[in-house]
Amino acid sequence: NAGVTQTPKFQVLKTGQSMTLQCAQDMNHEYMSWYRQDPGMGLRLIHYSVGAGITDQGEVPNGYNVSRSTTEDFPLRLLSAAPSQTSVYFCASSQTGEGGYTFGSGTRLTVV
Amino acid sequence: GDSVTQMEGPVTLSEEAFLTINCTYTATGYPSLFWYVQYPGEGLQLLLKATKADDKGSNKGFEATYRKETTSFHLEKGSVQVSDSAVYFCALSPEKLVFGKGTKLTVNP
């Protein structure tokens, strides 16, 4: 099993550019989430999904869009990148939430 | 809303010392509780979990007990090793994970 796969691992964007961070899981998990990790801030939830076709906002959703057209994939779109979005992004998935989440290895994004 | 508060770090210990990292939570209902560990340059790994009151989660010598009366889930280890140096996160769920801010542990030989 590959688990949770995030691509790319590293990315540099210019202010105003758009891009999509990819997240795929092969465990048939219903729950998927996106977090950003910033120094001293811990992990903050951006968006989450409890199943295909269902998404909801987390703590810091502004500037990000998601969709969940399949169980396996949960891409995160940055609409117009800003330096404040420089961060490490983690995707995670879980079958029910109660048993714990499996995390991807992260995408380190720098916006200049 | 739901929230997790864990002790501020960093924590520096000598090898074989006793470790406690405090974690308290605020939640509606009865969440599941977790400790995650993040080693330098890596993603998060689930260390242990507890899904109901009085459950004890344990793994790799670490333990934590789900205390509903004190809304706590403190992480303990009797004898830490240099390899335990990492950042530890307390979290709750089920629908979405809510994290504490993390505690950085450094263990010196």
Side-chain angles (χ1 to χ4, degrees):
Chain A
N1 275 350
V4 178
T5 302
Q6 291 184 238
T7 55
K9 293 192 182 303
F10 302 93
Q11 183 70 50
V12 179
L13 287 179
K14 293 183 179 179
T15 298
Q17 287 185 316
S18 63
M19 80 159 294
T20 299
L21 306 186
Q22 301 291 345
C23 176
Q25 52 92 8
D26 61 358
M27 298 171 284
N28 203 33
H29 284 172
E30 292 294 327
Y31 290 59
M32 295 186 76
S33 303
W34 276 102
Y35 294 86
R36 59 178 291 174
Q37 184 176 28
D38 303 293
M41 300 293 290
L43 284 96
R44 293 181 292 171
L45 181 65
I46 305 171
H47 287 284
Y48 67 103
S49 169
V50 297
I54 305 169
T55 64
D56 206 347
Q57 296 181 351
E59 182 184 355
V60 288
N62 291 341
Y64 307 94
N65 273 359
V66 292
S67 59
R68 184 94 181 272
S69 56
T70 67
T71 299
E72 295 77 20
D73 300 299
F74 192 43
L76 178 72
R77 297 181 185 84
L78 278 70
L79 308 173
S80 177
S84 61
Q85 294 178 304
T86 294
S87 187
V88 180
Y89 292 84
F90 288 101
C91 178
S93 74
S94 176
Q95 182 54 39
T96 64
E98 291 180 340
Y101 278 74
T102 301
F103 280 77
S105 57
T107 295
R108 185 174 295 274
L109 175 68
T110 302
V111 182
V112 298
Chain B
D2 297 349
S3 66
V4 174
T5 302
Q6 61 181 102
M7 64 184 284
E8 298 286 329
V11 174
T12 302
L13 296 173
S14 298
E15 208 165 23
E16 299 184 1
F18 185 85
L19 169 71
T20 300
I21 301 178
N22 290 337
C23 171
T24 57
Y25 68 90
T26 301
T28 54
Y30 303 100
S32 297
L33 300 175
F34 307 90
W35 278 99
Y36 282 83
V37 58
Q38 185 177 33
Y39 298 102
E42 298 185 10
L44 279 79
Q45 302 175 24
L46 178 63
L47 180 61
L48 54 84
K49 67 181 180 184
T51 58
K52 61 183 187 297
D54 300 325
D55 267 2
K56 177 184 282 189
S58 61
N59 186 25
K60 299 181 181 180
F62 291 89
E63 293 183 340
T65 301
Y66 190 141
R67 301 287 189 198
K68 192 177 77 170
E69 63 276 13
T70 55
T71 62
S72 65
F73 193 55
H74 304 322
L75 182 68
E76 297 183 335
K77 186 174 186 182
S79 176
V80 293
Q81 305 300 313
V82 172
S83 57
D84 294 327
S85 298
V87 180
Y88 293 82
F89 293 93
C90 185
L92 63 79
S93 104
E95 188 169 270
K96 53 187 177 180
L97 270 179
V98 176
F99 284 92
K101 294 194 173 182
T103 302
K104 183 177 181 180
L105 170 66
T106 301
V107 180
N108 295 319

